[in-house]
Amino acid sequence: YMEPDFPSFIGLINMLKKSYDGFIQPVMDKYSMTRIEIDILMFLANNPQFDTAAEIVRIRKLTKSHVSVAVNSLIQRNLLKPFHTDNNHKTVHLRLLPAARDIIQSGRQAQEQFRDQLFQGFSEEELQLFRDMTDRILHNASQKEDSHL
């Protein structure tokens, strides 16, 4: 068993964040939006099964107050519509509105360009190995997190 080089692993995470920022920044500029606003729209578009602010906070590990401010801003801009299901008037669900379509399309293009740059030259087998390893790392990280709560 050889331990991974932890400083270079943290360096990789930081480099990936910075690289992704470079792809998403033009979308933020074009639509005069904050990073968290774009992240929320993309999350709702990519994960239609999760449509509450609480789920965004829990799954994306974002700060509750930041999500709240961003969701309110997106509602004001007519990009999101809050609604209640018939039986539950406590939980506010969020629906993407047609005005968000172009922003989401631009966000998806940026995500695809980022992905294409990262994985250029990788074989299908290498991509599958990466997916498997990522799943295991995420599983291990969430176990540690659960034990800290």
Side-chain angles (χ1 to χ4, degrees), residues 33-38 40 53-54 56-57 62-80 94:
M33 295 178 76
T34 64
R35 172 63 183 270
I36 193 167
E37 289 171 338
I38 297 277
I40 288 169
I56 295 168
V57 168
L62 298 170
T63 309
K64 193 175 180 179
S65 60
H66 293 171
V67 170
S68 179
V69 168
V71 163
N72 286 331
S73 166
L74 293 167
I75 291 168
Q76 293 298 310
R77 292 179 64 160
N78 290 316
L79 297 170
L80 281 186
L94 302 168

Side-chain angles (χ1 to χ4, degrees), residues 92-146:
V92 179
H93 296 270
L94 302 168
R95 178 179 296 126
L96 290 165
L97 292 175
R101 216 173 275 142
D102 288 348
I103 301 166
I104 291 163
Q105 185 57 40
S106 294
R108 283 194 171 137
Q109 273 183 315
Q111 288 178 338
E112 286 169 17
Q113 289 168 345
F114 174 65
R115 186 195 60 221
D116 290 349
Q117 179 184 313
L118 280 189
F119 296 110
Q120 83 188 26
F122 279 65
S123 70
E124 195 46 56
E125 293 77 24
E126 289 169 325
L127 288 172
Q128 190 55 55
L129 183 61
F130 176 78
R131 282 185 211 104
D132 294 343
M133 293 172 81
T134 302
D135 288 345
R136 282 172 57 191
I137 290 168
L138 288 171
H139 173 77
N140 292 346
S142 70
Q143 281 191 318
K144 184 72 174 165
E145 191 176 274
D146 292 344

